[in-house]
Short mmCIF file of all heavy atoms in Angstrom, two decimals:
data_model
loop_
_atom_site.label_atom_id
_atom_site.label_comp_id
_atom_site.label_asym_id
_atom_site.label_seq_id
_atom_site.Cartn_x
_atom_site.Cartn_y
_atom_site.Cartn_z
N GLU A 128 -13.82 -8.66 7.33
CA GLU A 128 -15.01 -9.56 7.21
C GLU A 128 -16.26 -8.95 7.68
O GLU A 128 -17.35 -9.09 7.09
CB GLU A 128 -14.69 -10.82 7.91
CG GLU A 128 -15.85 -11.89 7.89
CD GLU A 128 -15.61 -13.13 8.68
OE1 GLU A 128 -14.47 -13.18 9.22
OE2 GLU A 128 -16.44 -13.99 8.78
N HIS A 129 -16.18 -8.24 8.82
CA HIS A 129 -17.44 -7.86 9.49
C HIS A 129 -17.76 -6.37 9.24
O HIS A 129 -18.93 -5.93 9.26
CB HIS A 129 -17.36 -8.02 10.98
CG HIS A 129 -17.31 -9.47 11.37
ND1 HIS A 129 -18.43 -10.24 11.36
CD2 HIS A 129 -16.23 -10.19 11.77
CE1 HIS A 129 -18.03 -11.49 11.73
NE2 HIS A 129 -16.74 -11.53 11.93
N LEU A 130 -16.76 -5.50 8.98
CA LEU A 130 -16.94 -4.04 8.72
C LEU A 130 -16.48 -3.57 7.43
O LEU A 130 -16.61 -2.45 7.13
CB LEU A 130 -16.29 -3.27 9.87
CG LEU A 130 -16.75 -3.57 11.28
CD1 LEU A 130 -15.96 -2.69 12.25
CD2 LEU A 130 -18.19 -3.30 11.48
N GLY A 131 -15.90 -4.47 6.56
CA GLY A 131 -15.37 -4.03 5.31
C GLY A 131 -16.35 -3.47 4.33
O GLY A 131 -16.04 -2.53 3.57
N ASP A 132 -17.54 -4.02 4.35
CA ASP A 132 -18.60 -3.58 3.42
C ASP A 132 -19.50 -2.62 4.02
O ASP A 132 -20.56 -2.24 3.37
CB ASP A 132 -19.38 -4.80 2.93
CG ASP A 132 -18.50 -5.79 2.14
OD1 ASP A 132 -17.48 -5.27 1.55
OD2 ASP A 132 -18.78 -6.99 2.13
N GLU A 133 -19.28 -2.16 5.27
CA GLU A 133 -20.18 -1.25 6.02
C GLU A 133 -19.74 0.18 5.90
O GLU A 133 -18.58 0.42 5.54
CB GLU A 133 -20.38 -1.71 7.43
CG GLU A 133 -20.68 -3.15 7.60
CD GLU A 133 -21.97 -3.57 6.96
OE1 GLU A 133 -22.84 -2.67 6.84
OE2 GLU A 133 -22.10 -4.74 6.53
N LEU A 134 -20.62 1.09 6.19
CA LEU A 134 -20.29 2.57 6.17
C LEU A 134 -20.08 2.99 7.61
O LEU A 134 -21.05 2.97 8.38
CB LEU A 134 -21.41 3.33 5.46
CG LEU A 134 -21.15 4.83 5.33
CD1 LEU A 134 -19.86 5.10 4.50
CD2 LEU A 134 -22.35 5.51 4.71
N ILE A 135 -18.92 3.41 7.96
CA ILE A 135 -18.59 3.97 9.29
C ILE A 135 -18.75 5.42 9.28
O ILE A 135 -18.12 6.14 8.42
CB ILE A 135 -17.14 3.56 9.78
CG1 ILE A 135 -17.01 1.99 9.60
CG2 ILE A 135 -16.94 3.94 11.17
CD1 ILE A 135 -17.92 1.22 10.42
N GLY A 136 -19.46 6.01 10.24
CA GLY A 136 -19.68 7.41 10.32
C GLY A 136 -18.43 8.17 10.76
O GLY A 136 -17.89 9.01 9.94
N HIS A 137 -17.92 7.92 11.97
CA HIS A 137 -16.87 8.65 12.54
C HIS A 137 -15.70 7.64 12.86
O HIS A 137 -15.97 6.54 13.44
CB HIS A 137 -17.23 9.39 13.75
CG HIS A 137 -18.39 10.28 13.58
ND1 HIS A 137 -19.70 9.89 13.63
CD2 HIS A 137 -18.44 11.65 13.28
CE1 HIS A 137 -20.53 10.88 13.39
NE2 HIS A 137 -19.77 11.96 13.19
N LEU A 138 -14.52 8.04 12.58
CA LEU A 138 -13.28 7.22 12.94
C LEU A 138 -12.49 8.15 13.89
O LEU A 138 -11.90 9.18 13.45
CB LEU A 138 -12.51 6.87 11.72
CG LEU A 138 -11.69 5.50 11.75
CD1 LEU A 138 -12.73 4.38 11.95
CD2 LEU A 138 -11.01 5.37 10.47
N SER A 139 -12.46 7.74 15.13
CA SER A 139 -11.77 8.56 16.20
C SER A 139 -10.28 8.09 16.30
O SER A 139 -10.12 6.89 16.43
CB SER A 139 -12.50 8.43 17.50
OG SER A 139 -13.85 8.87 17.40
N ARG A 140 -9.37 8.92 16.29
CA ARG A 140 -7.95 8.71 16.32
C ARG A 140 -7.28 9.20 17.63
O ARG A 140 -7.50 10.35 17.95
CB ARG A 140 -7.26 9.23 15.08
CG ARG A 140 -5.79 8.83 14.88
CD ARG A 140 -5.35 9.19 13.51
NE ARG A 140 -6.07 8.36 12.53
CZ ARG A 140 -6.73 9.01 11.51
NH1 ARG A 140 -6.79 10.34 11.40
NH2 ARG A 140 -7.44 8.25 10.66
N ASP A 141 -6.53 8.39 18.28
CA ASP A 141 -5.89 8.83 19.46
C ASP A 141 -4.81 7.94 19.87
O ASP A 141 -4.67 6.79 19.37
CB ASP A 141 -6.92 8.87 20.67
CG ASP A 141 -6.49 9.62 21.83
OD1 ASP A 141 -5.49 10.39 21.69
OD2 ASP A 141 -6.99 9.46 22.96
N GLY A 142 -3.82 8.47 20.68
CA GLY A 142 -2.66 7.65 21.12
C GLY A 142 -2.72 7.53 22.63
O GLY A 142 -3.12 8.49 23.34
N THR A 143 -2.25 6.48 23.14
CA THR A 143 -2.26 6.22 24.57
C THR A 143 -0.89 5.71 25.04
O THR A 143 -0.18 5.00 24.24
CB THR A 143 -3.34 5.21 24.97
OG1 THR A 143 -3.37 5.07 26.41
CG2 THR A 143 -3.11 3.84 24.33
N ALA A 144 -0.52 6.03 26.27
CA ALA A 144 0.83 5.61 26.77
C ALA A 144 0.86 4.18 27.16
O ALA A 144 -0.14 3.70 27.78
CB ALA A 144 1.10 6.50 28.01
N ILE A 145 1.90 3.50 26.85
CA ILE A 145 2.12 2.13 27.18
C ILE A 145 3.39 2.02 27.91
O ILE A 145 4.46 2.28 27.42
CB ILE A 145 2.21 1.17 25.96
CG1 ILE A 145 0.91 1.28 25.09
CG2 ILE A 145 2.42 -0.22 26.30
CD1 ILE A 145 -0.36 0.79 25.81
N GLU A 146 3.35 1.67 29.20
CA GLU A 146 4.41 1.59 30.10
C GLU A 146 5.15 0.16 29.90
O GLU A 146 4.42 -0.83 29.86
CB GLU A 146 4.13 1.78 31.57
CG GLU A 146 3.57 3.14 31.87
CD GLU A 146 3.28 3.36 33.30
OE1 GLU A 146 3.66 2.45 34.15
OE2 GLU A 146 2.76 4.42 33.69
N ALA A 147 6.45 0.23 29.84
CA ALA A 147 7.20 -1.05 29.61
C ALA A 147 8.30 -1.21 30.67
O ALA A 147 8.70 -0.24 31.29
CB ALA A 147 7.83 -1.04 28.18
N ARG A 148 8.56 -2.45 30.90
CA ARG A 148 9.59 -2.85 31.89
C ARG A 148 10.97 -2.97 31.20
O ARG A 148 11.58 -3.99 31.17
CB ARG A 148 9.25 -4.09 32.67
CG ARG A 148 8.04 -3.89 33.60
CD ARG A 148 7.85 -5.07 34.48
NE ARG A 148 6.85 -4.94 35.47
CZ ARG A 148 6.64 -5.75 36.49
NH1 ARG A 148 7.30 -6.92 36.56
NH2 ARG A 148 5.68 -5.48 37.36
N GLU A 149 11.48 -1.86 30.65
CA GLU A 149 12.77 -1.87 30.09
C GLU A 149 13.35 -0.47 30.02
O GLU A 149 12.64 0.56 30.22
CB GLU A 149 12.69 -2.44 28.58
CG GLU A 149 11.71 -1.70 27.72
CD GLU A 149 11.72 -2.30 26.36
OE1 GLU A 149 12.80 -2.40 25.71
OE2 GLU A 149 10.63 -2.57 25.87
N ARG A 150 14.62 -0.46 29.99
CA ARG A 150 15.29 0.90 29.99
C ARG A 150 15.12 1.64 28.72
O ARG A 150 15.20 1.08 27.68
CB ARG A 150 16.80 0.70 30.29
CG ARG A 150 17.08 0.18 31.74
CD ARG A 150 18.63 0.19 32.00
NE ARG A 150 18.85 -0.34 33.39
CZ ARG A 150 20.10 -0.37 33.84
NH1 ARG A 150 21.18 -0.07 33.03
NH2 ARG A 150 20.32 -0.78 35.04
N PRO A 151 14.92 2.98 28.77
CA PRO A 151 14.82 3.72 27.57
C PRO A 151 16.10 3.82 26.80
O PRO A 151 17.20 3.79 27.42
CB PRO A 151 14.34 5.11 28.05
CG PRO A 151 14.86 5.25 29.47
CD PRO A 151 14.76 3.82 29.99
N ALA A 152 16.01 3.75 25.46
CA ALA A 152 17.22 3.88 24.62
C ALA A 152 17.66 5.31 24.59
O ALA A 152 16.89 6.22 24.36
CB ALA A 152 16.88 3.42 23.24
N HIS A 153 18.92 5.52 24.82
CA HIS A 153 19.50 6.84 24.80
C HIS A 153 20.13 7.10 23.40
O HIS A 153 21.13 6.44 23.06
CB HIS A 153 20.64 7.05 25.91
CG HIS A 153 20.05 6.91 27.28
ND1 HIS A 153 19.34 7.83 27.94
CD2 HIS A 153 20.13 5.81 28.09
CE1 HIS A 153 19.00 7.36 29.15
NE2 HIS A 153 19.47 6.19 29.26
N THR A 154 19.52 7.95 22.72
CA THR A 154 20.08 8.32 21.34
C THR A 154 21.13 9.35 21.42
O THR A 154 20.96 10.40 22.03
CB THR A 154 18.94 8.79 20.48
OG1 THR A 154 18.28 9.97 21.04
CG2 THR A 154 17.88 7.78 20.28
N ARG A 155 22.22 9.13 20.87
CA ARG A 155 23.36 10.04 20.80
C ARG A 155 23.28 10.90 19.55
O ARG A 155 22.77 10.56 18.56
CB ARG A 155 24.66 9.29 20.83
CG ARG A 155 24.84 8.47 22.15
CD ARG A 155 26.21 7.79 22.11
NE ARG A 155 26.27 6.74 21.04
CZ ARG A 155 27.33 6.00 20.76
NH1 ARG A 155 28.46 6.20 21.48
NH2 ARG A 155 27.30 5.15 19.83
N GLY A 156 23.81 12.09 19.70
CA GLY A 156 23.82 13.04 18.62
C GLY A 156 24.73 12.61 17.47
O GLY A 156 25.53 11.65 17.58
N ALA A 157 24.60 13.37 16.33
CA ALA A 157 25.36 13.02 15.19
C ALA A 157 26.85 13.20 15.44
O ALA A 157 27.75 12.48 14.88
CB ALA A 157 24.92 13.80 13.98
N ALA A 158 27.18 14.15 16.29
CA ALA A 158 28.62 14.43 16.52
C ALA A 158 29.23 13.35 17.34
O ALA A 158 30.42 13.02 17.24
CB ALA A 158 28.80 15.78 17.22
N ALA A 159 28.52 12.71 18.28
CA ALA A 159 29.05 11.61 19.11
C ALA A 159 29.06 10.28 18.44
O ALA A 159 29.77 9.45 18.83
CB ALA A 159 28.18 11.48 20.43
N THR A 160 28.31 10.11 17.39
CA THR A 160 28.25 8.85 16.63
C THR A 160 29.04 8.97 15.37
O THR A 160 28.62 9.75 14.43
CB THR A 160 26.82 8.45 16.28
OG1 THR A 160 26.06 8.49 17.46
CG2 THR A 160 26.77 7.13 15.62
N PRO A 161 30.27 8.43 15.28
CA PRO A 161 31.07 8.60 14.09
C PRO A 161 30.48 7.82 12.90
O PRO A 161 29.90 6.72 13.05
CB PRO A 161 32.48 8.06 14.45
CG PRO A 161 32.14 7.03 15.55
CD PRO A 161 30.95 7.62 16.30
N ALA A 162 30.63 8.40 11.71
CA ALA A 162 30.11 7.72 10.51
C ALA A 162 30.98 6.59 10.12
O ALA A 162 32.23 6.57 10.41
CB ALA A 162 30.11 8.71 9.36
N PRO A 163 30.44 5.48 9.68
CA PRO A 163 31.25 4.29 9.25
C PRO A 163 32.22 4.65 8.12
O PRO A 163 31.90 5.41 7.26
CB PRO A 163 30.25 3.23 8.80
CG PRO A 163 28.96 4.06 8.39
CD PRO A 163 28.98 5.26 9.35
N ALA A 164 33.40 4.09 8.29
CA ALA A 164 34.53 4.42 7.26
C ALA A 164 34.12 3.81 5.92
O ALA A 164 33.95 2.56 5.82
CB ALA A 164 35.84 3.90 7.75
N ALA A 165 34.19 4.59 4.93
CA ALA A 165 33.89 4.05 3.49
C ALA A 165 35.09 3.41 2.91
O ALA A 165 36.30 3.80 3.26
CB ALA A 165 33.34 5.20 2.58
N GLN A 166 34.93 2.51 2.03
CA GLN A 166 36.06 1.82 1.39
C GLN A 166 36.71 2.82 0.40
O GLN A 166 36.06 3.43 -0.49
CB GLN A 166 35.52 0.61 0.57
CG GLN A 166 36.67 -0.24 0.01
CD GLN A 166 36.14 -1.47 -0.61
OE1 GLN A 166 34.91 -1.65 -0.71
NE2 GLN A 166 37.04 -2.32 -1.11
N SER A 167 38.05 3.05 0.63
CA SER A 167 38.76 4.08 -0.14
C SER A 167 39.71 3.36 -1.14
O SER A 167 40.16 2.25 -0.95
CB SER A 167 39.60 4.89 0.82
OG SER A 167 40.33 5.86 0.12
N SER A 168 39.94 4.08 -2.27
CA SER A 168 40.86 3.66 -3.31
C SER A 168 42.12 4.49 -3.33
O SER A 168 42.85 4.44 -4.31
CB SER A 168 40.17 3.66 -4.69
OG SER A 168 39.75 5.00 -4.88
N LEU A 169 42.43 5.25 -2.32
CA LEU A 169 43.56 6.12 -2.22
C LEU A 169 44.81 5.27 -1.96
O LEU A 169 44.72 4.15 -1.36
CB LEU A 169 43.42 7.24 -1.16
CG LEU A 169 42.26 8.19 -1.39
CD1 LEU A 169 42.19 9.18 -0.33
CD2 LEU A 169 42.39 8.90 -2.77
N SER A 170 45.98 5.84 -2.24
CA SER A 170 47.19 5.08 -1.90
C SER A 170 47.51 5.25 -0.44
O SER A 170 46.95 6.02 0.30
CB SER A 170 48.30 5.78 -2.73
OG SER A 170 48.54 7.14 -2.38
#
């Protein structure tokens, strides 16, 4: 509404740290995570 029709000279991009009160998720490797069993048509 306020800047959509205006011309912006510079757009500055940056990332900042956000601390959270929760435990970090531990991602396991592909070898430790077994793949789901697919539906088989074998005897």
Side-chain angles (χ1 to χ4, degrees):
E128 178 183 358
H129 295 283
L130 300 179
D132 298 332
E133 310 301 331
L134 183 62
I135 306 298
H137 305 84
L138 212 59
S139 301
R140 187 167 297 124
D141 195 16
T143 183
I145 301 297
E146 296 185 6
R148 291 190 171 186
E149 53 182 309
R150 292 185 177 181
H153 299 284
T154 57
R155 296 180 295 178
T160 306
Q166 187 175 4
S167 176
S168 60
L169 299 177
S170 62

